[in-house]
Amino acid sequence: MTNNIWWDDLQIHMVEWRRHLHRNPEVSFHEEKTSSFIADMLESFGVEVKRHVGGHGVIGTIRGDQPGPVVMLRADMDALPIHDEKDVEYASRKDGAMHACGHDGHVSILLGTALYFSRNKAAIKGEIRFLFQPAEELLPGGAVHVIADGGLDGVDVIYGIHLWTPLPVGVAASTAGSMMAAADDFYIEIIGKGGHGGMPQSTVDSLVAGSALVMQLQTVVSRSVDPLRPAVLTIGTMQAGAAQNVIAESCKMSGTVRTFDEETRSGMKERIHTMVAQTGAAYGAKTDIKYIMGYPPVVNDERETERFFQEAVHVFGAQNVQASPMIMPAEDFAYYLQQIPGCFMFVGAGNPDKGAIYPHHHPKFDFDEDAMQHAVKLFIAMATGYTAEV
Ligand SMILES: [Zn+2]
Ligand SMILES: [Zn+2]
């Protein structure tokens, strides 16, 4: 059933599906047609389908003949509000929307994997669920809705793959523990008392308090965070005042915090709140802070990542399996890993010969479609390996 001709055939199908989705992108929380395309396709393979999971999510289920664990494989499906600048036949046909992160590829990979298992049920001990998740690119993200809707109920382990153009095609990478950052944002306002620039004694200068606060906040990472744990705090904007001889009533600033573990993340949040309130108080100003928690850090399970390194060698060859460095982009796959063990993996998809040289979220982003077949093989190896072990 799964000889070379089968794989060649699958590749033709995956390219066709991926290009169809690429021409017809749907942005986060609007993946209506993408969702029906997936569900209809799964049904045509004879896979049991649940639609509308946490919005436009779809879960396909294939049960093996023997009892065993429940393995979930996840793909995200949303596009980005970016105008496609590629000059290819399958470029986006929708103004201002584009699959610039490769989620079209992720959908095709997971459909390809479902097709494989629908024809090879004997390889399954237990159950494999195929989770097509909407809205990865936009807060609060689709994963929280999928979980709230019971999407993870009864699942023992979860795996996710991201095609990754910074890595060359033919390579795979992951890392145990923290792999991708948590990204949280904050908006601060310091409210003083405006007045004449020549009579400061009857005012509260929000600009001076704000300036002090910017400097204070620089000490959060250097003095309050374990030096062995990476963290960043950046103040990106600051606005105050309207005239050279008027003391500013209000000073606004905004910034972002990146961390790789929950302890550092919550510690920094607390420290920032304290510093804002107390620096403001020291200058006699009132303060307000809005702290917006983004996705948590992606923290891979140690044992499941060890399995990735074992299984990936069979698919990619030992020299092509790498330990991924920690990277700053965030991923809502993190929420699943907070609930159950699992592993998030990168599959190399960059190839200068095919123009796949742009970073993710770039208007000319594209990936080497051969990477989709590598990803299917990795999913199959992870899923069957897990059920064989348990
Ligand atoms: Zn993205
Ligand atoms: Zn992505």
Side-chain angles (χ1 to χ4, degrees):
M1 188 88 230
T2 48
N3 51 26
N4 283 342
I5 297 164
W6 191 89
W7 282 104
D8 292 347
D9 217 37
L10 178 68
Q11 182 64 15
I12 293 166
H13 287 308
M14 287 198 295
V15 168
E16 195 181 296
W17 301 333
R18 180 264 162 157
R19 293 187 178 188
H20 165 76
L21 295 167
H22 203 85
R23 284 184 209 105
N24 302 285
E26 291 177 304
V27 297
S28 314
F29 297 105
H30 297 275
E31 308 92 339
E32 213 164 302
K33 291 195 179 111
T34 306
S35 178
S36 342
F37 174 82
I38 293 164
D40 294 347
M41 191 65 75
L42 288 171
E43 275 171 359
S44 79
F45 305 159
V47 174
E48 179 189 319
V49 172
K50 194 174 170 205
R51 297 174 191 242
H52 311 297
V53 180
H56 294 305
V58 176
I59 294 180
T61 300
I62 300 179
R63 285 181 197 86
D65 298 334
Q66 306 166 60
V70 177
V71 177
M72 181 166 263
L73 306 176
R74 176 270 206 170
D76 41 14
M77 63 162 91
D78 52 331
L80 284 152
I82 293 174
H83 192 77
D84 195 340
E85 289 178 10
K86 282 193 310 300
D87 187 21
V88 292
E89 167 277 321
Y90 54 90
S92 170
R93 293 182 181 171
K94 209 184 270 180
D95 276 351
M98 176 192 174
H99 272 291
C101 202
H103 300 183
D104 51 340
H106 300 171
V107 169
S108 298
I109 290 162
L110 200 53
L111 283 174
T113 311
L115 181 59
Y116 171 88
F117 280 114
S118 72
R119 304 289 178 270
N120 293 275
K121 284 186 190 168
I124 307 173
K125 221 167 85 185
E127 199 173 308
I128 301 185
R129 293 188 196 164
F130 305 86
L131 166 62
F132 296 84
Q133 181 215 299
E136 190 282 323
E137 298 281 7
L138 191 64
L139 286 175
V144 283
H145 298 292
V146 167
I147 293 168
D149 209 1
L152 275 194
D153 292 358
V155 178
D156 292 295
V157 70
I158 186 162
Y159 303 115
I161 286 177
H162 209 300
L163 294 173
W164 206 238
T165 58
L167 283 178
V169 70
V171 165
S174 186
T175 199
S178 297
M179 183 159 87
M180 297 176 82
D184 304 324
D185 295 331
F186 58 80
Y187 300 83
I188 296 167
E189 184 173 11
I190 295 156
I191 307 126
K193 192 174 161 223
H196 197 288
M199 299 167 69
Q201 71 279 15
S202 53
T203 71
V204 173
D205 193 337
S206 67
L207 198 153
V208 170
S211 305
L213 181 59
V214 170
M215 300 309 287
Q216 290 291 328
L217 288 171
Q218 301 311 310
T219 67
V220 173
V221 173
S222 70
R223 301 293 84 187
S224 306
V225 173
D226 181 342
L228 297 179
R229 298 185 184 200
V232 177
L233 185 160
T234 292
I235 311 281
T237 71
M238 185 179 186
Q239 283 119 15
Q244 93 288 356
N245 60 352
V246 176
I247 286 171
E249 169 122 353
S250 149
C251 175
K252 290 181 180 173
M253 62 185 84
S254 64
T256 189
V257 173
R258 305 291 161 100
T259 52
F260 285 90
D261 65 278
E262 280 299 338
E263 201 188 326
T264 308
R265 186 187 191 204
S266 57
M268 283 183 72
K269 182 186 175 194
E270 203 186 311
R271 193 86 195 104
I272 290 165
H273 273 85
T274 308
M275 237 169 215
V276 169
Q278 298 192 356
T279 306
Y283 289 85
K286 291 195 180 75
T287 53
D288 181 56
I289 176 164
K290 280 184 189 64
Y291 204 95
I292 297 163
M293 303 295 272
Y295 298 153
V298 170
V299 183
N300 282 328
D301 180 79
E302 302 273 342
R303 187 166 161 268
E304 291 310 321
T305 313
E306 207 172 290
R307 286 194 352 84
F308 157 79
F309 284 107
Q310 288 160 7
E311 300 289 353
V313 164
H314 303 305
V315 179
F316 296 87
Q319 71 284 7
N320 295 320
V321 179
Q322 302 177 357
S324 172
M326 289 195 265
I327 60 161
M328 281 299 169
E331 233 301 334
D332 76 347
F333 192 79
Y335 289 110
Y336 304 125
L337 294 174
Q338 286 182 331
Q339 309 278 328
I340 54 171
C343 186
F344 196 62
M345 305 164 282
F346 291 125
V347 167
N351 187 348
D353 295 341
K354 296 183 182 175
I357 50 168
Y358 297 98
H360 293 255
H361 294 202
H362 189 283
K364 287 185 177 165
F365 173 82
D366 205 353
F367 61 82
D368 185 338
E369 290 167 327
D370 288 349
M372 295 194 289
Q373 201 173 120
H374 306 159
V376 171
K377 288 178 178 168
L378 181 58
F379 263 152
I380 293 169
M382 290 302 284
T384 48
Y386 184 86
T387 58
E389 236 178 70
V390 173

